[in-house]
Amino acid sequence: MYEMSFKNPFKKSFFDLKELVDSIQENLGCPTTIEDTNHRLHAYSSHEVDTDSARIGTIISQRVPEKVINRLWREGIIPKLMQSDCALRIPHIEDIGLRDRVAIAIRKDNEILGYIWIVEGVKKLNDIQLKLLKDAAIAATPLMAKLHQNLKRKEEHYQDFLWKILSGHYKSSKDIQEKFYELNLKIPDHFTVLVFRFDQDITRKIEEQISYLITTSQKITNHFLVIIDNELILIASPHASQSGDHAFEGFISYFTSEMANRFSISGVKGSSGTSYNDFGKAEMSYQEAMTVLKLKQDFPEELEDVFHFRQLGAFRYLNLIPKERRDKRHEHPAIAKLEAYDSLHKTNLLKTLEVFIQQDSNMNDAAKKLFVHTNTLHYRIKRISEIGSVRLTNVHEKLGIYLDLNMRKMDKK
């Protein structure tokens, strides 16, 4: 039994986290890991051959597996850990390979810098040992604070450079490559720019929450991050476990929903530009992502499920049509005919036509969208063809009408 007044092994300075983690194992007799706030592994002790799969997965990938993190959030364990100053006992969760654990947050004032995780054996830690673990967390604070500060300096160093790239400051790919070399940064082989717009300015606290989700999701590989007021800009590529651009669509949905679920920050909108392998085109990918956000704002219903620039289809060209070509003199004549008929007979044939085209002429989907029976829709489509003299089997004619209708909306906005 320890005599705390003069034999506390953690009442001293440690050279690095590896020395500390070995000391924890030696004195508490349990395999130990130390990770940062984003669950990236920074130090770990040895363990027996029969250790659990969660620990093995963490050591192999140098971060806690995503399924483990998500489960710990769902069980309310991470929020409790973030709020507690003392060690927290976590019972085993068999389906994610997590044996009995004891964990404690590493804090500096009110800021969490990381966590210490201990795998308990058959013999559980007693009260004195739990107190020792709290002292070990205090000993870890200056070491984690130094890592945290170094990372922060590095991020601040390249943020200005990246914003200059995204705003077109550099005129050639060669200039960009030279600056990357000067800053000792690696140029990604290929990348995409993602933009997220918040309803509020992004504070340091929100920035930490953003970093947490990006790092722990393991859906994308984030190369660089830029924050300007209420906009988060990521320069990323698909994670090795994901396939192509679908990774970005999945990540956008995940990020916006988890910001709301975990941190109560709702209303976040996300978009993605095109993938390129030339960093000279980063500005182009950024502008494409911004175009998606702008059009989603103007056409929330039509583009509800659109996140990527390539998914915009005909909407990409609305702004390219000259203003003088967007007035009613150049609209398809069916629009004016149906508009007049609707006004006279209190019908909604023009809206029916728009939804029908929007649903790719699929009768069932359009009927569901309009909340009518398919027989009713068949009758309406027949009347639309007769009144508007429009050939709804002609894709070019339908696309022209759809563009005309959306140009109306754009001009109104």
Side-chain angles (χ1 to χ4, degrees):
M1 196 66 68
Y2 298 104
E3 296 179 28
M4 301 290 290
S5 58
F6 59 93
K7 287 190 177 181
N8 189 330
F10 305 115
K11 293 289 188 180
K12 65 173 187 176
S13 298
F14 289 84
F15 176 72
D16 59 16
L17 291 171
K18 176 59 179 168
E19 182 187 0
L20 174 59
V21 88
D22 287 341
S23 180
I24 296 171
Q25 182 180 34
E26 179 185 346
N27 288 280
L28 300 185
C30 300
T32 305
T33 56
I34 296 179
E35 60 195 50
D36 64 20
T37 51
N38 294 328
H39 307 292
R40 290 175 294 209
L41 183 64
H42 284 273
Y44 61 95
S45 67
S46 60
H47 57 250
E48 300 298 327
V49 293
D50 65 340
T51 193
D52 62 34
S53 60
R55 179 176 169 83
I56 292 171
T58 298
I59 292 171
I60 290 174
S61 63
Q62 294 294 289
R63 65 176 66 197
V64 181
E66 183 181 3
K67 68 175 183 178
V68 175
I69 296 169
N70 290 340
R71 184 62 177 275
L72 292 175
W73 271 97
R74 202 157 58 240
E75 298 288 339
I77 292 168
I78 290 178
K80 285 180 186 174
L81 196 54
M82 294 169 72
Q83 294 163 11
S84 176
D85 292 328
C86 300
L88 181 68
R89 189 162 262 126
I90 299 140
H92 78 281
I93 307 175
E94 188 173 347
D95 57 321
I96 58 171
L98 193 83
R99 289 186 189 165
D100 290 350
R101 292 285 201 280
V102 173
I104 190 167
I106 302 167
R107 300 174 183 275
K108 184 179 180 183
D109 301 323
N110 292 322
E111 184 179 12
I112 296 175
L113 303 175
Y115 305 97
I116 299 175
W117 289 81
I118 284 181
V119 182
E120 278 194 304
V122 177
K123 188 176 180 181
K124 305 304 180 186
L125 298 184
N126 59 38
D127 290 343
I128 293 177
Q129 290 173 314
L130 291 175
K131 173 64 172 66
L132 281 175
L133 183 57
K134 187 171 183 177
D135 291 331
I138 294 170
T141 298
L143 299 171
M144 292 300 292
K146 185 177 179 181
L147 286 172
H148 187 73
Q149 190 62 36
N150 289 341
L151 180 62
K152 187 178 176 183
R153 278 200 202 101
K154 184 179 179 182
E155 289 174 350
E156 289 171 350
H157 200 49
Y158 69 62
Q159 283 240 352
D160 183 59
F161 164 56
L162 291 169
W163 180 243
K164 285 181 178 177
I165 292 176
L166 296 174
S167 59
H169 176 82
Y170 294 96
K171 302 306 178 188
S172 72
S173 296
K174 183 181 178 183
D175 292 339
I176 294 173
Q177 289 170 359
E178 289 174 353
K179 191 65 178 178
F180 264 99
Y181 181 79
E182 180 185 324
L183 293 173
N184 196 30
L185 296 172
K186 185 178 182 298
I187 302 179
D189 293 332
H190 61 282
F191 66 91
T192 299
V193 176
L194 286 79
V195 179
F196 292 89
R197 183 172 292 152
F198 287 64
D199 287 341
Q200 58 189 298
D201 281 356
I202 298 171
T203 63
R204 182 64 191 171
K205 180 67 176 176
I206 296 175
E207 190 175 341
E208 289 171 1
Q209 294 164 342
I210 287 167
S211 178
Y212 182 90
L213 280 185
I214 293 169
T215 306
T216 59
S217 77
Q218 297 168 36
K219 297 182 186 303
I220 62 169
T221 299
N222 180 51
H223 304 292
F224 305 108
L225 177 153
V226 182
I227 290 174
I228 306 292
D229 299 328
N230 69 329
E231 281 181 7
L232 162 68
I233 306 162
L234 304 180
I235 300 175
S237 56
H239 190 268
S241 63
Q242 304 291 317
S243 59
D245 288 343
H246 295 297
F248 300 123
E249 295 160 35
F251 176 75
I252 290 170
S253 297
Y254 166 84
F255 181 85
T256 53
S257 64
E258 290 305 301
M259 285 301 296
N261 295 338
R262 296 187 185 183
F263 307 119
S264 300
I265 298 174
S266 56
V268 181
K269 305 291 191 301
S271 65
S272 169
T274 302
S275 296
Y276 296 104
N277 55 18
D278 175 5
F279 226 82
K281 294 182 178 178
E283 180 194 5
M284 188 181 299
S285 187
Y286 170 63
Q287 293 299 336
E288 289 169 348
M290 292 296 287
T291 297
V292 176
L293 283 182
K294 173 67 170 63
L295 288 170
K296 281 176 72 70
Q297 181 179 328
D298 290 345
F299 302 96
E301 183 181 347
E302 294 84 351
L303 301 179
E304 180 182 3
D305 298 323
V306 169
F307 301 106
H308 198 287
F309 183 72
R310 61 173 166 73
Q311 296 174 324
L312 288 174
F315 284 89
R316 292 165 55 180
Y317 307 105
L318 289 181
N319 281 323
L320 301 179
I321 300 172
K323 183 80 169 72
E324 60 271 16
R325 298 286 300 177
R326 301 205 306 253
D327 60 37
K328 291 187 177 181
R329 289 176 299 166
H330 298 281
E331 283 184 345
H332 192 289
I335 294 175
K337 290 178 182 178
L338 292 171
E339 198 169 40
Y341 185 90
D342 284 341
S343 178
L344 183 63
H345 298 279
K346 309 302 180 188
T347 53
N348 61 345
L349 295 184
L350 186 58
K351 179 63 179 177
T352 298
L353 175 59
E354 181 183 6
V355 171
F356 178 71
I357 300 172
Q358 191 181 68
Q359 298 301 313
D360 197 23
S361 304
N362 185 301
M363 283 286 184
N364 290 327
D365 291 346
K368 287 178 184 176
K369 191 83 173 177
L370 291 164
F371 302 103
V372 299
H373 193 274
T374 50
N375 290 342
T376 303
L377 182 58
H378 274 287
Y379 172 76
R380 286 189 190 177
I381 293 300
K382 182 181 178 183
R383 291 294 292 143
I384 287 168
S385 299
E386 294 169 351
I387 295 164
S389 301
V390 56
R391 297 172 298 165
L392 292 176
T393 55
N394 186 308
V395 64
H396 306 296
E397 193 167 7
K398 285 190 294 186
L399 180 58
I401 293 171
Y402 192 60
L403 283 172
D404 286 338
L405 290 171
N406 282 302
M407 280 189 288
R408 276 188 171 198
K409 293 179 184 179
M410 188 171 68
D411 288 338
K412 284 179 182 178
K413 291 176 186 296

